[in-house]
Amino acid sequence: MSDPAGPLPRHLLPDNASVLPDGALAVGGCAVADLPATYGTPLFVYDEDHLRARCREVVAAFGDGVSYAAKAFLCLAMARLVHEEGMHLDVATGGELHVALAAGVPASRLVLHGNNKSEGELARAREAGVGRTVVDSFDELDRLDRLHAADGRVPAVLLRATPGVEAHTHEFVRTGQLDSKFGFGVASGDLAKAVERASASPAVDVVGIHAHIGSQVFVADFFHQAVEVIAPWVRDFDLPELSIGGGLGVPYVVGEEAPSITEWARTVLDACRAAGIRSRVTAEPGRAIAARAAVTLYTVGTIKDIPGVRTYVAVDGGMSDNPR
């Protein structure tokens, strides 16, 4: 394990980070200490080659259909970048949908998420021709029924399953356990009811099952468990797609390690083959693409020394630009 008081371990920095002869940090050949003079602080600095490499890695691992989770980091340039590298884009709000479309991402390559999509958001997605919608609740099926009665459109949907897998991560970012605001519970029987209802409905075209067990998951085997739970629904209904969602952990501090995207994909795909799934298997990594590609620059302002206790160093940023 690295010394917490020593230099930051290389694996916590962007791929193209380097140390200049004077000991300063550079990212992509740019001395980061020089950037605030032009751009000010707080400043997010991204390694573009790192972002592109991770996009290519996940497309190579999962194939066409794998999506970038926009909530990890989204702007016009980021939306264009992931599209250029062959990824689809997962959007969870009307704002994210607007940014993706404004960046020139074809609507057919967008996946609409959210556990409380408004009729307005659903209607906008239908008008734009969004490729897939992940349905999260019976209320949402009701909204889609009403919209179908008005416009006759039939969106392709995946039903979000809650597999009952409690991944070892913080309780606030677990999403696959029984007590979750997301999806249709397998153990409760809600997924069975949702599949039956949606399959019989003229308002939707059920093309697959979606599952997401949480964020910052460092043990790939939890994804294996989720696949085992939801495999029968994909297999028995002969659905063409299974999305395992995202959630692959990213190390932020000394002592944290995580599987690579390739290792994660291998675990998921092996589990799918073992469970008899022959459908297209997709995923929605976000943090695993974007997090380690960035550093944030701040300027030190006030320094407060409490003798024998600690020294506080205040910077010109905080929760407004970098929420915990």
Side-chain angles (χ1 to χ4, degrees):
M1 182 179 293
S2 302
D3 178 6
L8 195 65
R10 189 68 187 75
H11 76 280
L12 298 181
L13 291 168
D15 284 355
N16 298 295
S18 60
V19 179
L20 299 173
D22 63 357
L25 175 67
V27 174
C30 299
V32 297
D34 294 341
L35 298 176
T38 301
Y39 301 103
T41 57
L43 178 65
F44 297 131
V45 178
Y46 276 86
D47 177 350
E48 180 178 347
D49 288 343
H50 179 127
L51 291 170
R52 291 187 182 278
R54 293 302 176 279
C55 291
R56 291 167 187 164
E57 181 183 3
V58 75
V59 170
F62 282 100
D64 183 49
V66 66
S67 299
Y68 170 69
K71 60 182 172 288
F73 170 60
L74 182 65
C75 63
L76 290 170
M78 186 64 182
R80 293 187 190 107
L81 184 152
V82 297
H83 173 56
E84 288 168 1
E85 295 300 338
M87 294 190 73
H88 291 224
L89 196 61
D90 147 15
V91 296
T93 66
E96 290 181 355
L97 173 60
H98 177 81
V99 171
L101 293 173
V105 180
S108 61
R109 296 183 70 81
L110 299 181
V111 182
L112 181 65
H113 266 280
N115 72 307
N116 187 33
K117 307 176 194 70
S118 69
E119 285 199 15
E121 287 170 328
L122 290 168
R124 177 70 183 103
R126 298 159 77 88
E127 291 165 2
V130 163
R132 287 167 287 163
T133 298
V134 178
V135 173
D136 211 280
S137 67
F138 291 108
D139 285 345
E140 188 172 341
L141 287 172
D142 291 340
R143 293 176 195 129
L144 291 168
D145 284 342
R146 290 193 293 270
L147 289 168
H148 174 71
D151 65 20
R153 294 187 174 98
V154 183
V157 306
L158 287 81
L159 301 176
R160 179 161 178 171
T162 308
V165 173
E166 294 200 13
H168 286 183
T169 186
H170 193 284
E171 62 178 316
F172 290 174
V173 292
R174 291 180 194 151
T175 59
Q177 73 277 17
L178 179 62
D179 180 8
S180 174
K181 68 180 180 180
F182 296 103
F184 300 99
V186 174
S188 68
D190 278 352
L191 181 60
K193 295 173 186 174
V195 170
E196 181 179 4
R197 173 178 167 177
S199 298
S201 171
V204 295
D205 175 20
V206 181
V207 299
I209 298 292
H210 178 283
H212 179 80
I213 60 174
S215 298
Q216 281 298 80
V217 180
F218 289 99
V219 181
D221 191 56
F222 287 119
F223 295 97
H224 193 152
Q225 294 176 34
V227 169
E228 290 179 342
V229 173
I230 60 180
W233 304 97
V234 180
R235 211 174 45 228
D236 297 350
F237 285 88
D238 196 26
L239 296 174
E241 182 173 339
L242 165 64
S243 174
I244 198 63
L248 177 63
V250 169
Y252 285 100
V253 298
V254 173
E256 287 185 338
E257 300 282 347
S260 69
I261 288 173
T262 300
E263 291 166 340
W264 171 55
R266 187 179 304 120
T267 296
V268 169
L269 296 173
D270 286 349
C272 289
R273 281 192 288 269
I277 294 174
R278 298 294 177 261
S279 311
R280 179 172 79 163
V281 178
T282 61
E284 296 164 349
R287 190 192 306 255
I289 300 289
R292 200 168 63 81
V295 296
T296 307
L297 307 187
Y298 297 106
T299 299
V300 173
T302 300
I303 299 176
K304 176 182 177 180
D305 181 42
I306 305 176
V309 181
R310 80 175 77 237
T311 298
Y312 288 93
V313 178
V315 298
D316 61 344
M319 293 288 281
S320 60
D321 53 88
N322 205 353
R324 286 195 287 268

